[in-house]
Coordinates of all heavy atoms in Angstrom, one line a residue:
S31 N -141.1 -44.5 105.5 CA -142.2 -43.9 104.9 C -141.8 -42.8 103.9 O -140.7 -42.2 104.1 CB -143.2 -43.3 105.9 OG -142.7 -42.2 106.6
A32 N -142.5 -42.6 102.9 CA -142.1 -41.5 101.9 C -143.4 -41.2 101.1 O -144.3 -41.9 100.9 CB -141.0 -42.0 101.0
K33 N -143.3 -40.0 100.5 CA -144.3 -39.5 99.5 C -143.6 -39.5 98.1 O -142.5 -39.0 97.9 CB -144.7 -38.1 99.8 CG -145.6 -37.4 98.8 CD -147.0 -38.0 98.8 CE -147.9 -37.2 97.8 NZ -148.1 -35.8 98.2
L34 N -144.2 -40.2 97.2 CA -143.7 -40.4 95.8 C -144.5 -39.7 94.8 O -145.7 -39.8 94.7 CB -143.6 -41.9 95.5 CG -142.5 -42.7 96.0 CD1 -142.4 -42.7 97.5 CD2 -142.6 -44.2 95.5
D35 N -143.9 -38.8 94.0 CA -144.5 -38.3 92.8 C -144.1 -39.1 91.6 O -142.9 -39.2 91.3 CB -144.1 -36.8 92.6 CG -144.6 -35.9 93.8 OD1 -145.6 -36.3 94.4 OD2 -143.9 -34.9 94.0
C36 N -145.0 -39.7 90.9 CA -144.7 -40.7 89.9 C -145.3 -40.3 88.5 O -146.3 -39.7 88.5 CB -145.2 -42.1 90.2 SG -144.7 -42.7 91.9
E37 N -144.5 -40.6 87.5 CA -145.0 -40.5 86.1 C -144.7 -41.7 85.3 O -143.5 -42.1 85.2 CB -144.4 -39.3 85.4 CG -145.0 -39.0 84.1 CD -144.5 -37.7 83.5 OE1 -143.9 -36.9 84.2 OE2 -144.8 -37.4 82.3
A38 N -145.7 -42.4 84.9 CA -145.6 -43.7 84.2 C -145.7 -43.4 82.6 O -146.5 -42.6 82.2 CB -146.7 -44.6 84.6
H39 N -144.8 -44.2 81.9 CA -144.8 -44.1 80.5 C -145.0 -45.5 79.9 O -144.2 -46.4 80.1 CB -143.5 -43.5 80.0 CG -143.1 -42.3 80.7 ND1 -143.6 -41.0 80.5 CD2 -142.2 -42.1 81.8 CE1 -143.0 -40.1 81.3 NE2 -142.2 -40.8 82.1
L40 N -146.0 -45.7 79.1 CA -146.3 -47.0 78.5 C -146.8 -46.8 77.1 O -147.8 -46.1 76.9 CB -147.3 -47.8 79.3 CG -147.7 -49.1 78.7 CD1 -146.5 -50.1 78.7 CD2 -148.8 -49.8 79.6
D41 N -146.0 -47.3 76.1 CA -146.3 -47.0 74.7 C -146.4 -45.5 74.5 O -145.4 -44.8 74.8 CB -147.6 -47.7 74.3 CG -147.5 -49.2 74.4 OD1 -146.4 -49.8 74.2 OD2 -148.5 -49.9 74.7
S42 N -147.5 -45.0 74.1 CA -147.6 -43.6 73.8 C -148.3 -42.8 74.9 O -148.6 -41.6 74.7 CB -148.3 -43.3 72.4 OG -149.6 -43.9 72.5
S43 N -148.7 -43.4 76.0 CA -149.4 -42.8 77.0 C -148.6 -42.5 78.3 O -147.7 -43.2 78.6 CB -150.6 -43.7 77.4 OG -150.2 -44.9 78.0
D44 N -148.9 -41.3 78.9 CA -148.2 -40.9 80.1 C -149.3 -40.7 81.2 O -150.4 -40.2 80.9 CB -147.5 -39.6 79.9 CG -146.4 -39.7 78.9 OD1 -145.8 -40.8 78.8 OD2 -146.0 -38.7 78.3
Q45 N -149.0 -41.1 82.4 CA -149.9 -40.9 83.5 C -149.2 -40.5 84.8 O -148.2 -41.1 85.1 CB -150.7 -42.2 83.7 CG -151.8 -42.1 84.8 CD -152.7 -43.3 84.9 OE1 -152.4 -44.3 84.2 NE2 -153.6 -43.3 85.8
K46 N -149.7 -39.5 85.5 CA -149.1 -39.1 86.7 C -150.0 -39.5 87.9 O -151.2 -39.6 87.8 CB -149.0 -37.6 86.8 CG -148.0 -37.0 85.7 CD -147.9 -35.5 85.9 CE -146.8 -35.0 84.9 NZ -146.7 -33.5 85.0
F47 N -149.3 -39.9 89.0 CA -150.0 -40.3 90.2 C -149.1 -40.1 91.4 O -147.8 -40.1 91.3 CB -150.5 -41.7 90.2 CG -149.4 -42.7 89.8 CD1 -148.8 -43.4 90.8 CD2 -149.2 -43.0 88.5 CE1 -147.8 -44.4 90.5 CE2 -148.2 -44.0 88.1 CZ -147.5 -44.7 89.1
D48 N -149.7 -39.9 92.6 CA -148.9 -39.8 93.8 C -149.0 -41.1 94.6 O -150.1 -41.8 94.6 CB -149.4 -38.6 94.7 CG -149.1 -37.3 94.0 OD1 -148.2 -37.2 93.2 OD2 -149.9 -36.3 94.3
V49 N -148.0 -41.4 95.4 CA -148.0 -42.6 96.2 C -147.5 -42.3 97.6 O -146.5 -41.7 97.8 CB -147.1 -43.7 95.6 CG1 -147.1 -45.0 96.5 CG2 -147.6 -44.1 94.2
N50 N -148.3 -42.7 98.6 CA -147.8 -42.7 100.0 C -147.3 -44.1 100.2 O -148.1 -45.1 100.2 CB -149.0 -42.4 101.0 CG -149.3 -40.9 101.0 OD1 -148.4 -40.1 101.0 ND2 -150.5 -40.5 101.0
L51 N -146.0 -44.2 100.5 CA -145.3 -45.5 100.7 C -144.9 -45.7 102.1 O -144.4 -44.8 102.8 CB -144.1 -45.5 99.8 CG -143.1 -46.6 100.0 CD1 -143.6 -47.9 99.5 CD2 -141.7 -46.3 99.3
R52 N -145.2 -46.9 102.6 CA -144.7 -47.3 103.9 C -144.1 -48.8 103.8 O -144.7 -49.6 103.1 CB -145.8 -47.4 105.0 CG -146.2 -46.0 105.4 CD -147.2 -46.1 106.6 NE -148.4 -46.8 106.2 CZ -149.1 -47.5 107.1 NH1 -148.7 -47.8 108.3 NH2 -150.2 -48.1 106.7
I53 N -143.0 -49.0 104.4 CA -142.3 -50.3 104.4 C -141.9 -50.7 105.8 O -141.3 -50.0 106.5 CB -141.0 -50.3 103.5 CG1 -141.3 -49.8 102.1 CG2 -140.4 -51.7 103.4 CD1 -140.1 -49.7 101.2
Q54 N -142.3 -51.9 106.1 CA -141.7 -52.6 107.3 C -140.7 -53.6 106.7 O -141.2 -54.6 106.1 CB -142.8 -53.3 108.1 CG -142.3 -53.9 109.4 CD -143.4 -54.4 110.3 OE1 -144.4 -53.7 110.4 NE2 -143.2 -55.6 110.9
R55 N -139.5 -53.4 107.0 CA -138.4 -54.2 106.3 C -138.6 -55.7 106.3 O -138.9 -56.3 107.4 CB -137.1 -53.8 106.9 CG -135.9 -54.4 106.1 CD -134.6 -54.1 106.8 NE -133.4 -54.6 106.0 CZ -132.7 -54.0 105.1 NH1 -133.0 -52.7 104.9 NH2 -131.7 -54.6 104.5
D56 N -138.5 -56.3 105.1 CA -138.6 -57.7 105.0 C -139.9 -58.3 105.4 O -140.0 -59.5 105.7 CB -137.4 -58.5 105.7 CG -136.1 -58.0 105.2 OD1 -135.9 -57.7 104.1 OD2 -135.1 -58.1 106.0
S57 N -140.9 -57.5 105.4 CA -142.2 -57.9 105.9 C -143.4 -57.5 105.1 O -144.1 -58.3 104.5 CB -142.4 -57.4 107.4 OG -143.7 -57.8 107.8
I58 N -143.6 -56.2 104.9 CA -144.8 -55.7 104.2 C -144.5 -54.3 103.6 O -143.8 -53.5 104.2 CB -146.0 -55.6 105.2 CG1 -147.3 -55.3 104.4 CG2 -145.7 -54.7 106.3 CD1 -148.5 -55.6 105.3
I59 N -145.1 -54.1 102.5 CA -145.1 -52.8 101.8 C -146.5 -52.3 101.6 O -147.3 -53.1 101.0 CB -144.3 -52.9 100.4 CG1 -142.9 -53.3 100.6 CG2 -144.4 -51.5 99.7 CD1 -142.2 -53.7 99.3
W60 N -146.8 -51.1 102.0 CA -148.1 -50.5 101.7 C -148.0 -49.3 100.7 O -147.0 -48.5 100.8 CB -148.7 -49.8 103.0 CG -149.0 -50.8 104.1 CD1 -150.2 -51.4 104.3 CD2 -148.2 -51.1 105.2 NE1 -150.2 -52.1 105.5 CE2 -149.0 -52.0 106.1 CE3 -146.9 -50.8 105.6 CZ2 -148.5 -52.5 107.3 CZ3 -146.4 -51.4 106.8 CH2 -147.2 -52.2 107.6

Side-chain angles (χ1 to χ4, degrees):
S31 65
K33 172 74 177 296
L34 279 56
D35 296 333
C36 305
E37 184 169 353
H39 314 279
L40 178 61
D41 297 328
S42 58
S43 65
D44 297 331
Q45 184 174 2
K46 293 183 178 180
F47 53 94
D48 293 338
V49 177
N50 284 317
L51 167 70
R52 287 187 297 148
I53 304 175
Q54 184 172 319
R55 187 182 180 96
D56 300 332
S57 178
I58 188 168
I59 299 171
W60 294 271

